[in-house]
Structure formats: structure tokens, C-alpha cells
């Protein structure tokens, strides 16, 4: 993972350097489009695999996102970046990873994900529904042996994240609406 993150950051900073050279000739909308196509897409590429990696490795990707936000909002190097990220409505890298995993779970619950992903997720079934949390919207959280990589695996991590979501988000069947609600929920959790 270290090599993947390093190469991703290197390529992203290369593109940021080139965008910065032409930034004076671009309006904010055009610069945003370029940054989304060249930088955000690199941060989001295969980021579901980065769930659970140590924080120091994710901090490298977060620096890329922070630099892109600074370039887009024209914030100085030593100014606080959180207001810019909020203004752009960008999730931090860790929450972007969670968003991708949760969206994949949502699609699999609606039978819109590949079969092999749907087979990894098992809904909770109980004879009596006496507890509020144990509904058919919850997923079984399987046990795992390996402490380092086991908790990062999709069949382990995705149900854990899904079961922590509020019931109103888990029960939605409309994908565009649920994406908005999920992003808003993660945004409020990230910047609370």
C-alpha cells in the first residue's frame, strides 16, 4: 500500500504543480473541473482498498487534497484548510474511503452490485425483532482471526460501517438520494 500511496501522491502533486502554473488564466469553475478530473479521481481510485491503513499513510493523500483545496480556493499555505474543505463540501480522505465502501454496500443491498460482492454481505435474520438495532437492515459482522489485515477486509469492514449508520439512511432505496444523505451524514461526522 505504501508504494501505491506514494505513486498516487507523486502523480497528483505533479498535476497540481502544472495546474498552479496556469491557475491565473482559469476561473474557479474551470479550475475545479480540472482538479476533479486529475486530482480527486486519483485520490478516489481504488481507495476502498485503503480502509484501515495507518493514519500516517492516509495523511499523505490528505495533503494532496488539502493542496488541491488551497489551489482552488486561493488560500495561503499557512492558513487553516478546514474552512476551505467545508466550503468545497469535500470529505476528508478517510471519510471518502468510508463513503465508497458504504455506497458499495448500499448498491449490493439493492441488487445493483456484482454477485461476488453481494455474496460477501449477509443480512441479519432474527426470529423475533425485540431490539431496535437488530433489523433486517443490519448486516452480519463476521469474526476474523488476523488483527492487522482481517479487520480491513471488505466482508469485515463493510458490515461494521453499515451497522453504525442511522436506520433512515440504511432504509433508503433511491441511490441518488441515499448518496446525498450518506455524504451529508459523513460530512457532519467529519466536521462536527
Amino acid at each position: 500500500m505504501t508504494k501505491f500511496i506514494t505513486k498516487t501522491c507523486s502523480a497528483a502533486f505533479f498535476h497540481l504543480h502544472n495546474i498552479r502554473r496556469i491557475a491565473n488564466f482559469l476561473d474557479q469553475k474551470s479550475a475545479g473541473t480540472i482538479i476533479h478530473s486529475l486530482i480527486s479521481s486519483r485520490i478516489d481510485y481504488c481507495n476502498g482498498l485503503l480502509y484501515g491503513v495507518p493514519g500516517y499513510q492516509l495523511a499523505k493523500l490528505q495533503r494532496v487534497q488539502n493542496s488541491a483545496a488551497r489551489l482552488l480556493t486561493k488560500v495561503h499555505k499557512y492558513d487553516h484548510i478546514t474552512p476551505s474543505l467545508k466550503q468545497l463540501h469535500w470529505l476528508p480522505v478517510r471519510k471518502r474511503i468510508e463513503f465508497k465502501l458504504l455506497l458499495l454496500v448500499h448498491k449490493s443491498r439493492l441488487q445493483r452490485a456484482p454477485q461476488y460482492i453481494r455474496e460477501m454481505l449477509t443480512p441479519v435474520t432474527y426470529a423475533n425483532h425485540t431490539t431496535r438495532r437488530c433489523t433486517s437492515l443490519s448486516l452480519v459482522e463476521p469474526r476474523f482471526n488476523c488483527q492487522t489485515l482481517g479487520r480491513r477486509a471488505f466482508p469485515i469492514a463493510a458490515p461494521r460501517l453499515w451497522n453504525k449508520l442511522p436506520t433512515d439512511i440504511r432504509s433508503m432505496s433511491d441511490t441518488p438520494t441515499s448518496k446525498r444523505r450518506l455524504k451529508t451524514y459523513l460530512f457532519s461526522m467529519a466536521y462536527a
Side-chain angles (χ1 to χ4, degrees), residues 2-19:
T2 304
K3 186 182 272 189
F4 172 75
I5 291 172
T6 303
K7 286 188 175 199
T8 300
C9 292
S10 176
F13 277 124
F14 170 78
H15 289 299
L16 274 174
H17 175 73
N18 287 335
I19 294 168

Side-chain angles (χ1 to χ4, degrees), residues 71-97:
L71 178 62
L72 192 55
T73 58
K74 296 180 177 30
V75 173
H76 297 289
K77 183 177 182 179
Y78 295 107
D79 291 344
H80 206 327
I81 194 63
T82 305
S84 297
L85 292 173
K86 284 182 180 179
Q87 174 193 344
L88 295 169
H89 210 265
W90 285 0
L91 290 170
V93 172
R94 185 174 304 278
K95 294 296 180 187
R96 289 170 87 102
I97 293 168

Side-chain angles (χ1 to χ4, degrees), residues 26-70:
L26 300 172
D27 61 340
Q28 188 171 10
K29 185 176 181 185
S30 300
T33 302
I34 293 171
I35 286 174
H36 278 295
S37 65
L38 295 175
I39 309 303
S40 298
S41 62
R42 291 185 187 278
I43 292 172
D44 290 338
Y45 178 72
C46 289
N47 70 354
L49 298 173
L50 300 177
Y51 179 79
V53 298
Y56 75 91
Q57 289 183 347
L58 286 183
K60 295 175 185 178
L61 291 172
Q62 188 62 52
R63 278 193 292 274
V64 170
Q65 187 183 34
N66 293 351
S67 297
R70 285 184 199 286

Side-chain angles (χ1 to χ4, degrees), residues 105 108-111 117-127 129 133-142 155 158-159 162-163 170:
V105 172
S108 72
R109 305 260 312 159
L110 298 177
Q111 307 296 320
I117 290 178
R118 289 189 304 228
E119 290 172 356
M120 289 184 208
L121 304 171
T122 309
V124 172
T125 54
Y126 287 103
H129 297 282
R133 184 172 173 171
C134 296
T135 65
S136 61
L137 299 173
S138 297
L139 296 173
V140 174
E141 296 181 26
W162 181 258
N163 292 340
R170 286 187 281 163

